[in-house]
Amino acid sequence: MLANILGSLATVPGALPGAVAQGLIWGIMAIGVYITFRVLDIADLTVDGSLGTGGAVCIMLMLLGCNVWLAMLGAVIAGLLTGLMTGVFHTFMGIPAILAGILTQLSLYSINLKIMGKANQAINVDKYSLLVSLRWVRKAMLNNPLIMVAIIIVILIAFLYWFFGTELGSGLRATGANPNMSRAQGINTDLNKVLGLMVSNALVAFSGALLSQYQGFADVNMGRGAIVIGLAAVIIGEAIFGRIFRNFALRLLAVVFGSIIYYVVIQIVIQLGLDANLLKLLSALVVAVFLAVPYWKSRYFRRGVKVRKEAE
Amino acid sequence: MLELRDLYKTFNPGTVNEKRAIDGLSLTLEDGDFVTIIGGNGAGKSTVLNLISGAIPLDSGSICLDGKDITSLPEFKRAKYLGRVFQDPMMGTAATMGIEENLALANRRGARRGLRPGITSQERVRYREQLASLGLGLETRMTSKVGLLSGGQRQALTLLMATLKKPRLLLLDEHTAALDPKTADKVLQLTEEIVSRDSLTTLMVTHNMKQAIQYGNRLIMMDAGRIVVDIRGQEKKDLTVRDLLEKFNIENDRMLLSE
């Protein structure tokens, strides 16, 4: 038994680069989830659809002969539109955020099918110049996903750090922190929510575009359960790095680390022989427990909270 | 400068909980007026402020500020002209953001928010001075999250935020009601200082008759969504709590208790 486990664990290092690469790509998606879930305080389920939209748009544009960067730009624009759709459902039409996301997600299933014309579209790594592919995960080249995606993430985090420090970005953070106060300070909270949803889903679609290149195909089901993976990454990142990473950029980095850890753990669990069909169940339960921790803490482990004395 | 004309507001119309909160209220404020509003629970004091700020929509009537009809402007656009402090200390600040960040947000009230930096180093210097003038020691905790502050500190900060960019009208909605008496006094003193320094036109809702008499140049009492008493000038200066009680035979225990 023990020998068995050790034996299967011995194969883990070999599978590690692939797991880390996937973690990096999904890390971008998890940053998108962080923006809605933590910054805007909205659980946005659009992502289950917009991930696939990003992948579908990217692959189809490339098959049509587009340059890979142009295809990725197309994916980002498509992502912005999915966020806009949820945003309009939520603000202009007054639909609760979760339901608005579900509605968009469902409609994206049809849209993604229409974009691809069928349930999945493959792209040949030899015929098209992809940005990343799982084939190159062990190669010493710029297009090695471990290198390429890491560089992209650094650029993205730098951009987001700048953006959330601007007047507009500060207003967006304030909208999530306290909408009443934001309106009293002249912030258009509806507009900011839509903007946040757009930025978030653009990141998710971008991640989907990378993922479809990495795996060599886009699939209508590729985003199923994405929100859970995104939340898992956010929560793992916060649980492990929350105390040391205070700065906003570092918090985003923590989310990426959370995503990598998630995929490495999943890899190990699979190598240990867990039925891969049970993975989503396992992920959902882990996320459920982690989401419950703050609640349990406040409810059952209320350690004598010191009442702050009024500063004179 | 502020003109409220025939305001009506009914909550939950057509249900058993139907409540006419504001019943044909009209009011004109002069530039520099400091008006205190008192009245029992459900008299409509806070509702008036919420109607002016646009936090709740009006059924009918019109609101003009400096001759400009703002009745149809959404809340966030009216914010350009208004400074607001709420009863709940949690409501006026963003708890997860720093003290200086909150001030920077307030400093851009009414301005277009673009891609310029959310806070600059010159601003920080200014905020430090202004926080120091509160005398609460907040100037040494500029980057601390506002969630760590006490209720009194948060109300003082909200007051500073409301007046950082001089508003045309300052709306104070029982902003000391959630504080202990000593802190409440301190925040009120601060209010008085700021209002007279910037000669702000102010509407202050309070439950406390003594406060209503002590502060401001005009006192309004509300009942059932209408103004029932409006005292100003010398009469307001000479007013005592006993006068008010005797004159208008107020039967509201909360107001009596807070005497």
Side-chain angles (χ1 to χ4, degrees), chain A residues 162-163 165-171 173-174 177-178 180-181 183-189 308-312, chain B residues 75-76 79 90-93 96 101-102 105-106 108-109 112-118 148 150 152-153 161 183:
Chain A
W162 166 78
F163 175 72
T166 63
E167 293 176 339
L168 191 62
S170 299
R173 284 187 292 139
N178 184 346
N180 281 314
M181 168 268 195
R183 281 190 292 274
Q185 300 301 345
I187 294 167
N188 186 344
T189 48
R308 295 180 61 85
K309 283 220 82 165
E310 187 71 18
E312 298 295 338
Chain B
E75 185 183 4
F76 77 91
M90 301 298 189
M91 209 154 147
T93 46
T96 52
E101 283 184 304
N102 272 274
L105 286 167
R108 285 158 180 76
R109 181 164 48 77
R112 222 181 66 83
R113 287 164 210 262
L115 295 176
R116 281 161 304 190
L148 300 172
S150 68
Q153 289 171 327
M161 286 166 64
T183 317

Side-chain angles (χ1 to χ4, degrees), chain B residues 207-210 241-242 245 254-259:
Chain B
H207 255 113
N208 185 314
M209 296 181 87
K210 229 157 124 187
V241 172
R242 192 148 298 280
L245 287 172
R254 186 163 164 204
M255 285 165 78
L256 288 171
L257 284 170
S258 57
E259 184 187 337

